[in-house]
Amino acid sequence: QDSLPPDATPKGWDRLVIHPNSQAKNWFDLFIIVCVLYTSVLTPIEVCYKVELLPMVDIALDVIFVFDMLVQFFAGYFDLGGSRFPMLKLHRVVRRYIRTWFAVDLLAGFPVDRFISQLGPIALVKTIRLLKIKRIMEKYENLSWGPTLKVI
């Protein structure tokens, strides 16, 4: 059995796993949504007009999205098989992330435009970051206020 009883304390590497109900992680998810929305609005403008509106903000966002990818390796989740219990085993969390969202996050988070100049429309690959919102929404969709968040 890979789940922990409610009163058990994680041991070893499992102590690094972030509980899915973590208030800090919830705020971080909200911050990522704001960053994604910013990127989804400004990237098409920058590509169409061949300008960099806020280069330092773009660099900061690239770093933030790479950091988000690292955080996801340690972000526990609720196992929805039968009963909703938190999965806090690091090897399970890593395996699930690699099988589900890692490829999307890698494509969305890798700052291609920093390494290849004159990308043109290929820079629109950054808009793939919008898929991060779907990943975050999946976490909250089973909560009582989840549908409200989807509308927002």
Side-chain angles (χ1 to χ4, degrees):
Q1 163 147 346
D2 284 325
S3 63
L4 293 173
D7 59 341
T9 303
K11 306 277 190 254
W13 290 102
D14 293 339
R15 288 181 287 144
L16 298 175
V17 175
I18 303 165
H19 195 283
N21 282 338
S22 164
Q23 191 70 22
K25 179 66 169 74
N26 291 338
W27 281 108
F28 183 72
D29 287 343
L30 183 62
F31 176 66
I32 292 298
I33 288 173
V34 170
C35 292
V36 167
L37 292 175
Y38 172 87
T39 300
S40 68
V41 170
L42 263 74
T43 299
I45 293 170
E46 289 177 344
V47 169
C48 288
Y49 295 105
K50 296 180 178 150
V51 296
E52 258 192 295
L53 298 174
L54 299 167
M56 294 307 291
V57 173
D58 287 343
I59 291 170
L61 286 172
D62 290 340
V63 171
I64 289 166
F65 287 122
V66 169
F67 180 72
D68 175 55
M69 193 168 51
L70 295 174
V71 167
Q72 296 311 312
F73 278 106
F74 300 96
Y77 61 94
F78 285 109
D79 188 356
L80 300 177
S83 64
R84 243 176 97 83
F85 62 90
M87 179 53 62
L88 302 173
K89 293 287 188 179
L90 185 61
H91 71 281
R92 287 276 191 116
V93 170
V94 169
R95 186 175 348 143
R96 180 175 185 253
Y97 178 57
I98 288 174
R99 289 181 179 171
T100 56
W101 288 100
F102 177 70
V104 171
D105 283 352
L106 185 62
L107 187 59
F110 189 75
V112 177
D113 55 329
R114 300 280 166 231
F115 298 102
I116 303 172
S117 61
Q118 304 300 328
L119 278 181
I122 295 173
L124 286 173
V125 78
K126 290 168 93 176
T127 59
I128 290 174
R129 292 175 176 172
L130 282 167
L131 291 174
K132 289 178 171 283
I133 293 176
K134 175 153 177 45
R135 181 192 70 216
I136 294 169
M137 290 298 125
E138 284 179 352
K139 176 180 173 183
Y140 299 109
E141 68 185 6
N142 292 324
L143 300 176
S144 61
W145 49 270
T148 305
L149 188 59
K150 270 189 173 180
V151 170
I152 296 173

